[in-house]
Amino acid sequence: MFELHPNLASGTRLLAQWELCQLRALPDPQLPWLVLVPQREGVLELFDLSPADQGRLIKEVNLAAQAIVQAFGPDKINLGALGNLTPQFHFHVIGRYKTDRGWPGPIWGVAATEDPAKADQILDQLTRHFLG
Amino acid sequence: MFELHPNLASGTRLLAQWELCQLRALPDPQLPWLVLVPQREGVLELFDLSPADQGRLIKEVNLAAQAIVQAFGPDKINLGALGNLTPQFHFHVIGRYKTDRGWPGPIWGVAATEDPAKADQILDQLTRHFLG
């Protein structure tokens, strides 16, 4: 049975249940940051998903990326699945800006100055977008 | 017509022509590092690929990840498509080790101490694997 890793449960917020993935948002004061978690047990790497589920994953990653572009118009989309700290397979879809704190490097591991009001504003915008 | 971005042409080495992608290796003294470049013109983001090509991409990413696991047995596979510096869409498939210079953070942008002999050894092993 699929069970969400505690790091993802505590660090991200559920936006939608898609066919394969839970679509979740990671609160960030600068960036729209989505995390897709395939609702399958014991998946650590891409190849632990069936070929059909891999097809579903890329479709859902694509939807998430298009949504970020429509809602936020960032300078670039960054995609990634690392899992070095949280082993349950999860796929990041992040809108990046040339003015953000990590540009042009990766954003993973680059701490933000806390600003809960800004983070809430981005989360609300994401929530509205996916609730339609 | 597809033309490889100069950064990818100079910074990576062609290993194979797959159905969608050029499979290329990025020389690194610590890590097996593959870069898949869809041979399509004008692709900057995932959604610039057709749905059929997105399906091909995820299959080829999966093949590359499995090959790294078989040939190198790393602790983790890291996947990513950033493009903040090189806009032509390309997808990284990297074998990570708990002992590598960037662990557990991302490896992009973490410079390695130069060691051409070690980098050549990994490239040779990758080449043998994909020609094998």
Side-chain angles (χ1 to χ4, degrees):
Chain A
M1 218 190 73
F2 170 75
E3 212 172 319
L4 190 67
H5 190 285
N7 292 356
L8 294 167
S10 66
T12 62
R13 186 188 296 182
L14 183 67
L15 293 183
Q17 299 268 3
W18 283 354
E19 188 187 357
L20 175 66
C21 292
Q22 283 192 9
L23 176 70
R24 305 186 67 91
L26 192 155
D28 188 284
Q30 291 187 313
L31 306 164
W33 189 324
L34 297 173
V35 178
L36 281 78
V37 189
Q39 298 171 91
R40 298 287 186 262
E41 197 181 346
V43 176
L44 303 178
E45 298 284 4
L46 178 64
F47 45 74
D48 295 328
L49 290 170
S50 70
D53 278 345
Q54 290 181 30
R56 288 182 189 103
L57 176 69
I58 198 75
K59 270 186 212 166
E60 295 181 1
V61 166
N62 187 57
L63 282 177
Q66 287 186 303
I68 286 181
V69 167
Q70 284 165 24
F72 294 88
D75 294 312
K76 188 73 192 70
I77 293 291
N78 281 188
L79 307 176
L82 291 82
N84 305 339
L85 292 167
T86 301
Q88 181 173 61
F89 187 85
H90 57 286
F91 203 108
H92 300 268
V93 181
I94 308 164
R96 298 294 308 273
Y97 296 91
K98 290 179 183 170
T99 54
D100 74 40
R101 66 192 180 276
W103 187 271
I107 197 70
W108 298 282
V110 183
T113 308
E114 283 206 30
D115 187 339
K118 277 294 290 174
D120 277 349
Q121 190 184 322
I122 294 175
L123 283 178
D124 288 349
Q125 201 174 340
L126 285 168
T127 305
R128 276 197 309 278
H129 191 85
F130 288 104
L131 294 182
Chain B
M1 218 191 71
F2 169 75
E3 211 173 321
L4 191 66
H5 190 285
N7 292 356
L8 294 168
S10 65
T12 61
R13 186 189 295 182
L14 182 68
L15 294 183
Q17 297 267 5
W18 282 354
E19 188 187 356
L20 175 65
C21 293
Q22 283 192 7
L23 176 71
R24 305 185 67 91
L26 192 155
D28 188 284
Q30 292 187 314
L31 306 164
W33 189 324
L34 298 173
V35 179
L36 283 77
V37 189
Q39 298 170 93
R40 298 286 186 264
E41 196 180 347
V43 175
L44 302 179
E45 298 285 2
L46 179 63
F47 44 74
D48 295 327
L49 290 170
S50 71
D53 278 345
Q54 291 180 30
R56 289 183 188 102
L57 175 70
I58 197 77
K59 272 188 213 165
E60 294 180 3
V61 166
N62 187 57
L63 282 176
Q66 287 185 304
I68 285 181
V69 168
Q70 283 165 24
F72 293 88
D75 294 313
K76 190 71 192 69
I77 294 291
N78 281 186
L79 308 176
L82 290 84
N84 305 339
L85 292 167
T86 300
Q88 181 173 61
F89 187 84
H90 58 285
F91 203 108
H92 299 268
V93 181
I94 307 164
R96 298 293 308 274
Y97 297 92
K98 290 179 182 172
T99 54
D100 74 39
R101 66 191 179 275
W103 187 272
I107 198 70
W108 298 283
V110 183
T113 308
E114 283 204 31
D115 186 341
K118 277 294 289 174
D120 277 349
Q121 189 184 321
I122 294 174
L123 282 178
D124 288 349
Q125 201 174 339
L126 284 168
T127 305
R128 277 198 307 280
H129 190 85
F130 287 104
L131 295 182

